[in-house]
Amino acid sequence: MTTVRFARSLTSAAAACLLAFGALQAHADAGALRARHAELADQLRNNTFGRQMVIDSAEGHNALQGDVYAVLDHPYEKVKRALQDPDAWCDIMLLPFNTKACQASGNQLAMRIARKPDQPADQAYPISFNFQNMAAGADYLESRLNAGQGPFGTRDYRISAEAVPLENGKTFMHMRYAYGYGGSGKFAMQAYLATAGANKVGFTTNGLRGAVERNAMRYYLAIDAYLDTMDEPSAQRMDKRINHWFSGTERYPRQLREMDRATYVALKRQDYGAQQTAGR
């Protein structure tokens, strides 16, 4: 065997090993998520959310994390189709009131996050997410978005969604929203909680963990709104998606209400319209 042929054989063998390892890892992750579904069975059925859902949060050393576990009333293949598409993620990420713009280019999502909902997009903070499809098999999917730097002294943003199929055409999903912060970021968050956010509460606790729970819920509701409107006629999809997200937040007004429906719908029509124009 020549040196070239030997090198090619080694390369092929290495690639096969990587594929096999990836398949084994996905199988293990699917098993872990199914086990989590079983562990949370009682909480998913009996809670105050009005749907099969569990919310959790954690605060570490200069880091916050919010987790949402939920049963989706959508088949797994539909969920997989949506969550492995960067353009779909841009439509999802644009629904929360403080996101002013999102453009997908390859595996990069260029977003703009505003201090105030009516802040123009060109004055909002730019944040760039790297999108990765970690797994997209027949029984497990995982997508991740990561950004090194965020607004107001925050950093190390991680948004992920993993899912497995359930019986009766449903899907179990775990969505995580997490970020880190330095001294200036912590000061900014504490200042917000002492002023505009003073009356805000979380779903299981308050303070910084309550804040990350609210954001995790907003992104979960955005995924749900996207899935619920995927099959709508294209001319109606945007308005239905916007209204669906707002209706979802109104189920939890104490935690999530920021404005009335008319104000939110007008702002989001403007944001989506600008996104569509920019994409041409």
Side-chain angles (χ1 to χ4, degrees):
M1 181 181 294
T2 66
T3 301
V4 172
R5 288 179 61 192
F6 180 69
R8 287 175 178 171
S9 297
L10 284 178
T11 301
S12 298
C17 287
L18 286 173
L19 287 171
F21 177 79
L24 287 171
Q25 184 63 50
H27 181 74
D29 291 338
L33 190 56
R34 289 186 181 280
R36 190 69 174 133
H37 175 255
E39 291 171 5
L40 295 174
D42 287 343
Q43 291 174 260
L44 289 167
R45 286 194 299 266
N46 303 298
N47 58 64
T48 60
F49 297 115
R51 60 176 79 196
Q52 294 193 64
M53 174 188 293
V54 174
I55 293 181
D56 194 11
S57 60
E59 182 177 359
H61 179 65
N62 291 341
L64 288 165
Q65 175 180 305
D67 293 275
V68 177
Y69 298 89
V71 175
L72 303 173
D73 292 326
H74 299 282
Y76 172 77
E77 287 300 322
K78 182 178 182 180
V79 175
K80 183 171 72 170
R81 190 167 76 250
L83 297 186
Q84 63 183 348
D85 180 2
D87 288 312
W89 272 101
C90 253
D91 282 339
I92 289 166
M93 302 290 278
L94 194 56
L95 282 168
F97 67 92
N98 62 332
T99 307
K100 302 303 297 179
C102 184
Q103 288 292 323
S105 177
N107 288 330
Q108 297 296 312
L109 274 63
M111 292 175 55
R112 293 270 180 169
I113 305 295
R115 285 182 177 270
K116 297 181 179 180
D118 58 353
Q119 185 178 17
D122 60 357
Q123 297 177 19
Y125 187 94
I127 178 170
S128 179
F129 280 94
N130 179 58
F131 173 81
Q132 293 177 287
N133 271 319
M134 304 302 296
D139 63 350
Y140 178 76
L141 74 89
E142 182 184 9
S143 296
R144 295 180 186 174
L145 287 82
N146 297 285
Q149 298 295 323
F152 323 128
T154 55
R155 64 195 183 208
D156 300 329
Y157 274 79
R158 289 163 288 131
I159 300 173
S160 64
E162 57 175 347
V164 291
L166 298 177
E167 296 178 353
N168 303 319
K170 297 186 178 185
T171 303
F172 181 60
M173 182 183 74
H174 168 216
M175 197 220 75
R176 172 168 292 168
Y177 171 78
Y179 60 91
Y181 52 86
S184 61
K186 187 170 186 177
F187 177 80
M189 289 185 286
Q190 289 175 334
Y192 166 76
L193 292 173
T195 54
N199 296 320
K200 298 289 186 182
V201 297
F203 291 93
T204 71
T205 186
N206 300 323
L208 294 178
R209 282 180 56 193
V212 79
E213 288 178 358
R214 291 194 295 274
N215 280 331
M217 176 65 101
R218 289 185 179 107
Y219 286 123
Y220 160 75
L221 292 172
I223 292 173
D224 193 53
Y226 184 90
L227 292 169
D228 272 356
T229 55
M230 280 178 69
D231 299 326
E232 295 290 341
S234 58
Q236 304 171 23
R237 197 173 298 150
M238 180 185 72
D239 265 357
K240 289 196 173 185
R241 187 165 293 158
I242 290 169
N243 277 283
H244 191 291
W245 186 86
F246 188 85
S247 294
T249 66
E250 282 294 278
R251 298 176 70 171
Y252 319 102
R254 191 162 177 238
Q255 292 89 356
L256 301 182
R257 181 176 291 160
E258 299 287 341
M259 62 192 71
D260 60 65
R261 183 185 294 270
T263 302
Y264 170 77
V265 169
L267 285 171
K268 283 297 130 180
R269 283 176 177 169
Q270 181 179 343
D271 294 339
Y272 273 96
Q275 174 172 289
Q276 291 171 352
T277 300
R280 290 173 187 164

